[in-house]
Amino acid sequence: MAESEEESSCLQQVYVEKQELDDSEDVLDLDSIDVRYEIDDREFDLPEVSVPQSLESILNEPDDLPEIEEDPLFLEQAETASVTSDAVSFANNGATSGRSTPSRQVRKDSIQYPLHGSVLRHVVLRGISSQIVSAAERVNAGLPSAMAVSAVVAIGSTHGVVLIFDPKQTLKLCLSNGQTREQYGAVSALALNNDCTRLLVGHARGQITMWDLTTGKLLRTITDAHQPGSAILHIQFTDDPTLAIFSDSGGSVFELNFRRLMGVRGSDSTCIFSGSRGEVCSILVLHAGPLQDHPLDDLSIMALATMSKVIVITIRPKLRVLFHHPLRGNSNTLPLLAWHYVFVQQQTGRTLEPVLAFARSSTIYFCQLVCKSPDNVQFVLLQKLTVPYVLIHMMWINAKTLITVDSLERMHLVDVRHDEELQVLDVGDVKLVYGSSHFKSLATGGNVSPAMALAGENACYQSVALFRGQVLLLGTKSLHVFTIRTWFERINYLARQEHYVEALALALSFYEGSARAVIGLDSNVEKRKGLIASKLLRVLYEFVEASATKNVPTRGAIHLLVEHYESVMPVCIESCISIDRTDVLFGDVYDRFSQDFVAKALFLESLEPYILDDKLRHIAPAVMQELVENYEERKEIDDLERLIVHLDIMSMNIDHIVKLCWKHSLYDGIIYIFNQSMNDYISPLEELLNILMDSILNKKDLTDKVVKLANKVLVYVSCCLAGRAYPVGDISESIMLQVKTSVLKALTVLHTKQPAEEEPVYPYLRTLLHYSTREFLNALALAFEEPEFESEVGRQQKQRIVDILLQIMVDNMEFSPTQVGALFTFLARQMAKAANTIYVSRMLFEQVLEYLSNPNDSSRHEEREQALIELLHAAGLQQFDEERLLALAERAEFYRVCELLYDKQHQYDKVLSCYLRDTSRQVQAFRFIEIVMSNPARKAAEKKAFRRKVLESIELLVAIDQQQTAELLACVFPDSMHEVTTRLAHEPRLLYAFLTGLIDYKESQAIGIKKKEGIVIGSDVYEQYIDLMCEFDPANVCTYVKSTDAYRLENTLEICKKHQVMDAMAHLLEKSGQVHDAFVILLQNLQDKVGDLCSVLLAGHESHTVDVSASWSALQVALCVVVQFCQRVSGKLEEAERQGLWFPILETMMHPQRKLDHKVAPQHLDSFKELTRHVLNSMMGYISVAAILKCIMEDPAYSTGKLSDIKELVLGMLEMYNYESTLLHSMKNLLNQDLHAQLARLQQTANRGYAAKSDACDLCHKPLAHIVDADNIVLFRSALPACLAFLTLGN
């Protein structure tokens, strides 16, 4: 019974009489879709053209033309996915589906987002559904095939019958002339006029009939309105009852005009354009809006979509193209169109403008029609959405929300403004009717294009309808209605399912105005919030009761109960705070949870984040008392203090809280309570300063607790003097001046209220100055900026404070130089201001200067220098005698102070001396030199003196950083090379370091690391550098001479001979062509290493293990060097000369084996044999095998032994020989194959025919037609494409 009532009420809502659009739903303000502020924040105005394009010209445009009308944003294409489906066919009917139905295995379930709840309501119209089934079974009316909805529901069938139902689901008419099934075929399209008195029926065989719905009579039968053999795909009335538009399966669009002359009804049709120019798949007429006197009233506008573009045209008063846009997508998808009127807020008021949504595949575009007059119509592209599914239908459900249906038969509710999906419903059980057979024109033989047939596979234009915000879906045996639930119904739906958390969150989104697709709320904000708050509280009461009773875990560990209440409490607190009903929170909600001790404790703990975020300032006193006791029991006192300073003082038991704060040293809480409850800013300050005095003035160790208190007091004083409340907020303006005055007075008291005998004067000031002089003076400086210190009384008070500070700190050994310097820095900054009224004796500055620069005090040197620098920066030099200050700084070795003074006097050479004498800043001297010499403002005399100082200090600069010194010389003093080397000549090691840096810089410049211009280094400098390297670093000489050619070979060879650097000598001799001399040196080195190793081996001591390993390594290196040398030079020598190189090496390695035989361990002999094998393998490429074997066999180490002694050696040689022979043969074959393949490709290319694109050369245009003998033509292939050059040869 309830279902029947719901169906009836739903239908009544569908068929109510037309009324004006609801402003709360269909009004679109600037925040919605206004072109100036809409989602994309851009305008896409169509450019004006001198001659408007015709419909024919647009349809004739190729699809791949560049789209210059739109922004590139609209050119992006979304990827689409194909769907595997099971085929479902219907026998013996013209067309009902003919389309594959998605398999349930691939279809996804419905999706309900917790944030939005269940937005859509689904109702099956059982009355209509049952009569559809009954008509099909009893009277053979066929299955549903098309639908139209207005004041009535018209459903066409596959047997050409049309059933008319009223809003009460009563069958009113059954339209059929008896010949419909056989001659006309299935109903493929339906259209109702505005007053629902006429029905146009399009049939699968191409006929059109008009019916009178008041009498049920057939008024017209039109058979010649279009080309025979094409199904009617779309048919629509315009606002003019005598004009209709229809399209057929051939892709053509026609206008159909009705006339009645002398009582005789007639009609004529006009083809707007032919499908041969581009097949139109969808059309949609724009009907007049609800407002009167709109500029669009004089126009009849229609949108149509082909496979490649969307076009908007006017039909009346004349055919004109208003807009077109490219439309791309997969070949198996159809274009979709949807108009909707929205109110757009403009400067002149609200105007009603239509918005066109058009889509294909997975991309939706939104375009606003702006009509200023009938002759001035513009379109503005507003937005583009890309969805992750393939669209088969789309329509507006209201001005902000779109309904889409995808290829998996899922319905999506989309918020257009925020591009957000609100809900997904699986409508597969509807068994949606598809018009695939009409797009394939199966009833007339399938004479359609393959593209049309493929795209029409998912056509459902005639089975989805929209009326008054209701979406109707036509199934094969049922009719379904989908509507957006009201806000009240959405909350109730979740509450009935006991999804209380989601219901409360949804209610809050309604309350805060962040919900989507809202229906049924009052436009008045106060009324709306009142209604929502009332509903939210009812849901909250249900939630609290359920959470405290049936949802409570009855079994299991205690942590399950804790987790349950931890998830419940924040929801309750957030809900009450959001609607400002803390009375409910601390009333009914708290009372209900207080019945369980676990729930009560977790409720109190859950309040903490809301208090700290200042969302909850007031708590009921009884709850506050419970809260304090709870934190005391858990010993979380610090957390309690953080809560106290965020709560309203009226919530607290002040006496109890104050005692608690003093007991646990909650100083923030003490200050907050005194300040807020009694406006007393002095008592807490005095009490806290008394605590600090005991530790600071009595020189006790400062504990963490004392440091924490001192920092709080400093911040509190700073806040009070600046007019800020502590810890957050501002002091009331009515008491601000009083607070500042009282705090300063309290700080500057001569003695405390109960002074001890040894108490010094001004104890509070002294305490704060001792703890942090700089921070306290910073707070005082901020206070001096306040306007009250600009009056006469304020100036006197400021001077008094300064006098007290001087009295406390000057001539007082209690304070460090830094503290004294901080004081005078503070004073100097105050005195440097334009409106300064402070007076400080210059003698005091002199005393401070003497104190800070005392040369006899070696302690805290850096601290005293830094204090003096800060004082100079703050006060300027006008407070001091510069000459005396410079003398004191020199005597105290305050180099940074001296630097400031010398820089002011432009004595840059002395500034450099300061840098060099200050060991902590010596490296900065290089940057200073570069700055001075590159500054064009410096005088020539200054630079000359400075240059002289730099060169005089060159030894020290090299000692500091040789690399930077060399770079400095190359970039700044490139003409001083000789002078520098001369100055460093008496210090060879420094000269070597300098030349190392210079050459390293030069090499880095050569490889691009350094980009600056440098000097040219002569070969004599390189030779000098090599000479010094031979002296200080001989091991790297050979490596260096190999890496560069900047030296003279003969001179460098003499230098190496002088220092006996043998490896470098060998390299230089080889380089000069003296191969034999180089070999002698390398061979001698090898023999020395062999001799050293033999000596170590014959010594035979276990302690020489390390020496043996080192000797073996040295021998291997020496052998490798000489072998590589022989390999390099052997290619240039004759056979005898090569033997003269290799055989001595072989002899050198074989001799120790004879000498050490039976005298050393066998493994050492094996090592010698391994090295010998290495020599043999290396020399095989240069010496014949026979010569090598002869040498081996004549050697006593091998000739007197057995064959087994030389077996491995000989086999190794033969194996290496075979390997190299095989490698050579394989390489030759590969090269031959590559050469043959390349020649074959060249021959193939040369023999390939050449097809000319024309009968003349593309370059010279000489004709080929008159040439008979092809042998007389020579073709030349040019590098240019499409070029054919030829040469005609004479006989």
Side-chain angles (χ1 to χ4, degrees):
M1 187 67 180
E3 291 180 356
S4 176
E5 290 177 338
E6 187 175 12
E7 296 168 13
S8 179
S9 65
C10 181
L11 264 182
Q12 292 292 344
Q13 186 177 1
V14 175
Y15 301 108
V16 293
E17 293 295 323
K18 290 187 177 180
Q19 49 186 307
E20 292 187 358
L21 294 173
D22 183 359
D23 290 352
S24 66
E25 289 305 313
D26 290 340
V27 175
L28 195 62
D29 55 14
L30 288 173
D31 293 332
S32 179
I33 203 166
D34 185 8
V35 65
R36 290 167 297 175
Y37 301 97
E38 178 40 16
I39 304 151
D40 212 41
D41 292 329
R42 305 180 187 180
E43 292 187 359
F44 297 95
D45 293 327
L46 294 177
E48 297 183 1
V49 294
S50 57
V51 179
Q53 287 182 284
S54 66
L55 184 60
E56 195 77 11
S57 66
I58 292 173
L59 291 174
N60 285 329
E61 288 180 358
D63 294 340
D64 57 352
L65 283 176
E67 298 116 20
I68 62 173
E69 302 88 3
E70 62 176 351
D71 190 272
L73 171 67
F74 294 91
L75 298 180
E76 300 173 5
Q77 296 299 315
E79 295 181 1
T80 57
S82 60
V83 179
T84 304
S85 58
D86 299 329
V88 177
S89 62
F90 294 88
N92 299 325
N93 56 54
T96 191
S97 175
R99 174 212 182 258
S100 300
T101 301
S103 171
R104 299 301 295 176
Q105 282 75 21
V106 299
R107 183 183 296 125
K108 297 182 180 178
D109 295 332
S110 300
I111 301 174
Q112 178 178 311
Y113 297 100
L115 181 62
H116 307 295
S118 178
V119 186
L120 291 174
R121 178 177 58 185
H122 178 199
V123 176
V124 181
L125 301 183
R126 300 187 185 277
I128 295 178
S129 301
S130 62
Q131 294 181 74
I132 291 173
V133 174
S134 177
E137 294 177 352
R138 296 182 180 181
V139 298
N140 196 25
L143 296 177
S145 60
M147 172 179 61
V149 181
S150 185
V152 297
V153 176
I155 298 177
S157 74
T158 56
H159 291 177
V161 179
V162 179
L163 305 178
I164 306 298
F165 298 91
D166 68 4
K168 295 182 180 180
Q169 305 188 55
T170 302
L171 179 62
K172 291 297 184 180
L173 296 171
C174 180
L175 307 179
S176 175
N177 59 4
Q179 301 176 347
T180 305
R181 177 180 180 183
E182 293 78 9
Q183 295 182 7
Y184 297 170
V187 175
S188 57
L190 293 170
L192 292 163
N193 64 354
N194 288 343
D195 58 5
C196 288
T197 60
R198 298 289 186 268
L199 174 69
L200 282 175
V201 181
H203 291 273
R205 295 185 183 275
Q207 297 87 347
I208 299 174
T209 58
M210 177 183 282
W211 298 83
D212 186 342
L213 295 186
T214 59
T215 62
K217 293 182 178 180
L218 177 65
L219 301 180
R220 290 181 176 88
T221 299
I222 306 170
T223 59
D224 57 353
H226 66 114
Q227 181 181 359
S230 299
I232 303 298
L233 299 184
H234 301 274
I235 188 165
Q236 297 175 20
F237 275 104
T238 65
D239 291 331
D240 182 356
T242 65
L243 176 63
I245 305 295
F246 72 91
S247 68
D248 61 16
S249 58
S252 299
V253 179
F254 300 83
E255 63 175 70
L256 190 61
N257 295 281
F258 306 111
R259 63 182 183 276
R260 186 173 184 178
L261 185 61
M262 302 297 290
V264 179
R265 289 184 173 88
S267 64
D268 58 75
S269 64
T270 303
C271 181
I272 297 177
F273 63 87
S274 172
S276 61
R277 300 294 186 181
E279 295 168 317
V280 174
C281 302
S282 177
I283 63 172
L284 189 62
V285 173
L286 174 63
H287 291 282
L291 294 185
Q292 301 296 326
D293 300 326
H294 194 279
L296 286 176
D297 293 343
D298 298 329
L299 299 176
S300 181
I301 296 177
M302 177 182 70
L304 51 90
T306 69
M307 292 291 186
S308 59
K309 54 176 69 72
V310 170
I311 307 168
V312 181
I313 63 174
T314 59
I315 306 170
R316 295 287 187 272
K318 63 178 181 179
L319 186 65
R320 181 161 61 100
V321 176
L322 301 178
F323 169 76
H324 66 97
H325 189 279
L327 193 61
R328 298 181 181 141
N330 287 355
S331 58
N332 61 345
T333 59
L334 286 169
L336 306 173
L337 300 170
W339 286 105
H340 193 77
Y341 278 92
V342 296
F343 279 104
V344 179
Q345 191 71 32
Q346 296 182 353
Q347 295 179 353
T348 57
R350 293 189 309 172
T351 60
L352 192 66
E353 303 291 355
V355 171
L356 173 64
F358 53 93
R360 192 177 180 202
S361 287
S362 302
T363 307
I364 308 173
Y365 298 92
F366 298 89
C367 183
Q368 179 185 349
L369 186 153
V370 181
C371 182
K372 299 178 182 179
S373 69
D375 296 327
N376 186 1
V377 180
Q378 297 179 354
F379 279 79
V380 179
L381 287 170
L382 299 176
Q383 184 184 1
K384 172 186 173 182
L385 296 183
T386 301
V387 294
Y389 46 83
V390 179
L391 294 162
I392 63 172
H393 210 285
M394 169 189 70
M395 67 199 70
W396 294 92
I397 197 166
N398 59 40
K400 302 177 183 179
T401 314
L402 202 67
I403 287 279
T404 63
V405 181
D406 67 19
S407 58
L408 295 180
E409 294 188 353
R410 294 176 302 168
M411 180 180 290
H412 303 258
L413 186 65
V414 180
D415 184 276
V416 175
R417 176 187 172 191
H418 300 92
D419 189 11
E420 182 178 3
E421 188 173 75
L422 307 182
Q423 188 177 357
V424 181
L425 279 181
D426 186 349
V427 294
D429 293 334
V430 173
K431 301 189 185 317
L432 193 64
V433 172
Y434 290 91
S436 309
S437 60
H438 308 317
F439 273 79
K440 298 176 183 179
S441 197
L442 298 181
T444 58
N447 53 338
V448 297
S449 69
M452 196 75 160
L454 177 62
E457 182 70 21
N458 293 323
C460 57
Y461 293 115
Q462 304 301 325
S463 53
V464 183
L466 175 72
F467 185 73
R468 299 288 182 165
Q470 324 283 314
V471 178
L472 288 86
L473 265 62
L474 180 63
T476 56
K477 295 183 179 181
S478 56
L479 183 62
H480 302 253
V481 179
F482 297 85
T483 60
I484 294 182
R485 300 178 191 271
T486 66
W487 71 275
F488 196 85
E489 293 170 342
R490 288 166 66 180
I491 297 174
N492 278 344
Y493 179 83
L494 293 172
R496 283 198 303 268
Q497 295 182 334
E498 297 187 359
H499 295 165
Y500 295 111
V501 176
E502 291 82 358
L504 290 170
L506 181 60
L508 283 179
S509 68
F510 289 134
Y511 188 86
E512 296 167 354
S514 60
R516 311 281 187 256
V518 183
I519 300 291
L521 278 176
D522 196 288
S523 58
N524 183 279
V525 177
E526 295 300 326
K527 291 182 180 180
R528 181 168 69 242
K529 287 192 172 183
L531 286 172
I532 298 170
S534 176
K535 178 60 179 175
L536 186 147
L537 288 178
R538 288 197 293 273
V539 176
L540 178 63
Y541 288 139
E542 295 179 18
F543 176 51
V544 171
E545 187 61 30
S547 300
T549 53
K550 59 182 179 181
N551 292 340
V552 175
T554 57
R555 296 181 180 179
I558 188 65
H559 76 273
L560 297 177
L561 185 62
V562 172
E563 291 174 359
H564 166 70
Y565 283 120
E566 283 179 344
S567 64
V568 169
M569 299 306 174
V571 177
C572 300
I573 297 171
E574 182 73 33
S575 300
C576 292
I577 290 175
S578 298
I579 63 174
D580 196 20
R581 291 298 303 271
T582 55
D583 57 321
V584 175
L585 178 65
F586 299 120
D588 296 338
V589 175
Y590 179 68
D591 292 342
R592 186 67 184 86
F593 286 131
S594 296
Q595 299 174 17
D596 186 302
F597 74 95
V598 175
K600 178 181 177 181
L602 289 172
F603 178 90
L604 297 173
E605 294 172 19
S606 299
L607 296 174
E608 180 177 338
Y610 301 96
I611 296 173
L612 295 179
D613 290 341
D614 290 327
K615 293 181 179 179
L616 189 60
R617 295 279 298 169
H618 180 79
I619 297 179
V623 179
M624 181 66 190
Q625 185 67 26
E626 297 282 355
L627 179 69
V628 173
E629 292 176 0
N630 178 270
Y631 275 83
E632 280 190 282
E633 290 176 3
R634 294 189 289 120
K635 301 186 184 303
E636 296 179 357
I637 303 301
D638 290 338
D639 293 337
L640 177 61
E641 181 184 30
R642 292 190 297 122
L643 298 182
I644 289 173
V645 299
H646 285 272
L647 287 170
D648 184 0
I649 203 71
M650 300 305 294
S651 303
M652 307 178 191
N653 182 339
I654 295 178
D655 182 62
H656 176 71
I657 297 295
V658 169
K659 290 179 180 178
L660 179 70
C661 290
W662 281 118
K663 176 181 177 182
H664 296 286
S665 301
L666 305 182
Y667 302 122
D668 284 351
I670 293 169
I671 293 172
Y672 179 77
I673 293 171
F674 272 92
N675 292 171
Q676 298 297 320
S677 63
M678 296 172 281
N679 284 336
D680 184 356
Y681 290 79
I682 305 305
S683 297
L685 177 61
E686 292 177 342
E687 293 289 343
L688 298 180
L689 283 173
N690 288 330
I691 297 174
L692 284 179
M693 284 172 52
D694 181 58
S695 297
I696 293 177
L697 297 185
N698 293 329
K699 307 296 184 181
K700 295 181 180 179
D701 293 336
L702 298 184
T703 62
D704 292 341
K705 182 178 179 181
V706 173
V707 171
K708 182 179 178 181
L709 172 59
N711 289 332
K712 289 181 182 293
V713 171
L714 276 175
V715 176
Y716 175 61
V717 169
S718 178
C719 288
C720 290
L721 295 180
R724 304 279 298 178
Y726 180 84
V728 291
D730 294 300
I731 300 174
S732 174
E733 292 186 4
S734 60
I735 63 171
M736 186 182 297
L737 181 59
Q738 178 187 348
V739 170
K740 294 179 180 180
T741 305
S742 301
V743 170
L744 280 175
K745 184 177 179 181
L747 291 175
T748 56
V749 294
L750 188 63
H751 287 288
T752 60
K753 294 178 180 179
Q754 296 178 351
E757 294 183 1
E758 66 279 5
E759 180 183 277
V761 294
Y762 305 111
Y764 293 154
L765 270 181
R766 195 180 297 269
T767 299
L768 294 176
L769 289 170
H770 268 293
Y771 177 70
S772 180
T773 305
R774 193 180 304 278
E775 293 302 325
F776 176 70
L777 292 177
N778 287 341
L780 205 57
L782 291 176
F784 284 175
E785 298 292 331
E786 296 297 314
E788 54 266 19
F789 284 98
E790 296 177 2
S791 64
E792 183 63 29
V793 175
R795 289 194 289 270
Q796 292 176 3
Q797 189 177 14
K798 187 189 298 185
Q799 183 64 50
R800 177 176 174 271
I801 295 173
V802 169
D803 293 340
I804 293 174
L805 292 174
L806 291 172
Q807 180 182 345
I808 294 173
M809 298 187 68
V810 177
D811 294 333
N812 193 333
M813 300 304 294
E814 296 179 13
F815 296 93
S816 68
T818 299
Q819 292 173 314
V820 175
L823 171 63
F824 278 88
T825 300
F826 162 75
L827 295 176
R829 288 172 179 164
Q830 295 297 318
M831 295 171 66
K833 294 180 180 179
N836 171 54
T837 59
I838 295 177
Y839 171 75
V840 179
S841 172
R842 184 166 180 172
M843 291 298 298
L844 289 175
F845 280 96
E846 293 291 339
Q847 291 179 17
V848 172
L849 178 60
E850 290 281 355
Y851 169 72
L852 293 176
S853 59
N854 183 7
N856 298 322
D857 184 6
S858 59
S859 63
R860 297 189 284 196
H861 182 274
E862 282 291 328
E863 182 180 344
R864 290 187 290 115
E865 184 179 16
Q866 183 62 34
L868 182 55
I869 290 173
E870 291 182 3
L871 180 58
L872 291 176
H873 283 307
L877 298 177
Q878 64 270 18
Q879 301 289 344
F880 307 98
D881 181 353
E882 290 188 27
E883 294 299 328
R884 182 168 177 273
L885 177 62
L886 183 58
L888 290 173
E890 287 280 4
R891 188 173 60 179
E893 297 182 351
F894 287 171
Y895 297 120
R896 286 185 289 168
V897 177
C898 295
E899 176 190 333
L900 290 175
L901 298 173
Y902 286 136
D903 186 73
K904 182 183 177 183
Q905 300 170 3
H906 301 288
Q907 299 184 31
Y908 303 112
D909 53 341
K910 294 185 178 180
V911 174
L912 178 60
S913 297
C914 292
Y915 275 110
L916 297 177
R917 290 159 63 192
D918 189 349
T919 56
S920 64
R921 299 189 307 136
Q922 285 180 336
V923 73
Q924 299 177 20
F926 299 100
R927 179 60 181 162
F928 175 71
I929 294 171
E930 186 176 352
I931 291 173
V932 171
M933 295 304 295
S934 61
N935 191 342
R938 306 301 179 206
K939 297 179 181 179
E942 294 173 350
K943 288 188 177 181
K944 184 177 180 180
F946 186 72
R947 180 179 182 278
R948 184 169 57 253
K949 180 63 179 177
V950 172
L951 295 177
E952 290 174 357
S953 308
I954 195 68
E955 294 93 339
L956 182 56
L957 291 172
V958 173
I960 294 170
D961 192 320
Q962 64 190 41
Q963 186 70 37
Q964 291 198 58
T965 305
E967 185 173 348
L968 183 70
L969 180 68
C971 298
V972 183
F973 306 110
D975 56 344
S976 303
M977 171 66 71
H978 180 70
E979 184 177 353
V980 170
T981 54
T982 302
R983 286 181 177 273
L984 295 175
H986 65 285
E987 291 285 348
R989 188 169 290 278
L990 279 180
L991 178 58
Y992 174 63
F994 168 73
L995 292 178
T996 300
L998 183 65
I999 292 174
D1000 288 345
Y1001 170 77
K1002 184 67 176 178
E1003 291 176 353
S1004 64
Q1005 188 183 46
I1007 63 176
I1009 298 177
K1010 303 289 185 180
K1011 297 296 184 183
K1012 296 180 180 179
E1013 293 294 332
I1015 61 174
V1016 178
I1017 303 178
S1019 58
D1020 55 333
V1021 176
Y1022 282 100
E1023 292 164 6
Q1024 186 179 15
Y1025 173 62
I1026 294 172
D1027 192 4
L1028 292 170
M1029 185 184 291
C1030 290
E1031 181 178 354
F1032 298 111
D1033 191 11
N1036 289 322
V1037 174
C1038 184
T1039 303
Y1040 179 72
V1041 296
K1042 289 180 180 180
S1043 65
T1044 182
D1045 294 324
Y1047 50 83
R1048 290 171 293 189
L1049 192 59
E1050 297 79 4
N1051 295 355
T1052 306
L1053 183 58
E1054 292 299 324
I1055 293 171
C1056 293
K1057 288 181 179 179
K1058 179 179 72 174
H1059 294 281
Q1060 289 297 300
V1061 183
M1062 295 300 180
D1063 53 350
M1065 287 175 57
H1067 172 74
L1068 295 172
L1069 288 169
E1070 178 188 354
K1071 193 173 182 180
S1072 63
Q1074 303 178 44
V1075 175
H1076 180 73
D1077 295 339
F1079 175 73
V1080 170
I1081 293 175
L1082 294 177
L1083 181 62
Q1084 182 62 47
N1085 180 53
L1086 177 64
Q1087 292 172 348
D1088 292 342
K1089 295 297 185 287
V1090 170
D1092 295 341
L1093 177 60
C1094 291
S1095 300
V1096 172
L1097 292 176
L1098 291 173
H1101 298 294
E1102 294 182 359
S1103 59
H1104 291 175
T1105 304
V1106 177
D1107 294 338
V1108 170
S1109 178
S1111 299
W1112 274 115
S1113 298
L1115 174 59
Q1116 290 170 355
V1117 171
L1119 179 61
C1120 183
V1121 170
V1122 71
V1123 166
Q1124 290 176 354
F1125 170 80
C1126 291
Q1127 288 176 333
R1128 286 196 302 271
V1129 302
S1130 292
K1132 306 174 185 178
L1133 303 178
E1134 299 294 335
E1135 175 72 19
E1137 294 175 326
R1138 290 198 298 270
Q1139 292 181 5
L1141 295 180
W1142 285 103
F1143 284 147
I1145 300 174
L1146 183 61
E1147 171 62 23
T1148 302
M1149 298 308 302
M1150 296 172 67
H1151 175 72
Q1153 300 177 45
R1154 298 191 297 271
K1155 179 179 179 181
L1156 300 177
D1157 192 19
H1158 303 299
K1159 296 181 181 179
V1160 297
Q1163 64 266 25
H1164 294 310
L1165 291 176
D1166 292 341
S1167 298
F1168 270 110
K1169 290 181 179 180
E1170 184 65 29
L1171 293 179
T1172 304
R1173 188 179 297 111
H1174 171 65
V1175 175
L1176 291 172
N1177 291 336
S1178 300
M1179 63 190 295
M1180 282 178 60
Y1182 307 99
I1183 306 297
S1184 65
V1185 177
I1188 297 174
L1189 288 175
K1190 180 180 179 182
C1191 179
I1192 293 174
M1193 298 305 297
E1194 292 176 352
D1195 189 274
Y1198 295 100
S1199 60
T1200 58
K1202 299 179 181 179
L1203 179 62
S1204 59
D1205 295 337
I1206 62 170
K1207 179 181 178 181
E1208 292 183 3
L1209 191 64
V1210 174
L1211 290 178
M1213 292 173 55
L1214 295 176
E1215 182 179 353
M1216 178 60 67
Y1217 175 79
N1218 290 333
Y1219 168 74
E1220 291 183 352
S1221 298
T1222 304
L1223 183 64
L1224 182 62
H1225 180 72
S1226 300
M1227 184 59 67
K1228 183 179 69 172
N1229 290 340
L1230 288 174
L1231 290 175
N1232 289 338
Q1233 290 175 7
D1234 289 346
L1235 179 60
H1236 178 269
Q1238 183 67 19
L1239 290 174
R1241 282 195 295 270
L1242 291 175
Q1243 183 182 15
Q1244 183 180 5
T1245 302
N1247 293 336
R1248 186 180 303 160
Y1250 189 90
K1253 294 185 177 180
S1254 65
D1255 59 353
C1257 177
D1258 288 342
L1259 293 181
C1260 66
H1261 306 292
K1262 187 174 181 180
L1264 300 175
H1266 302 296
I1267 300 174
V1268 178
D1269 189 357
D1271 295 335
N1272 293 332
I1273 298 177
V1274 179
L1275 299 178
F1276 299 93
R1277 287 181 173 83
S1278 171
L1280 295 173
C1283 175
L1284 174 63
F1286 63 90
L1287 177 65
T1288 303
L1289 302 178
N1291 293 328

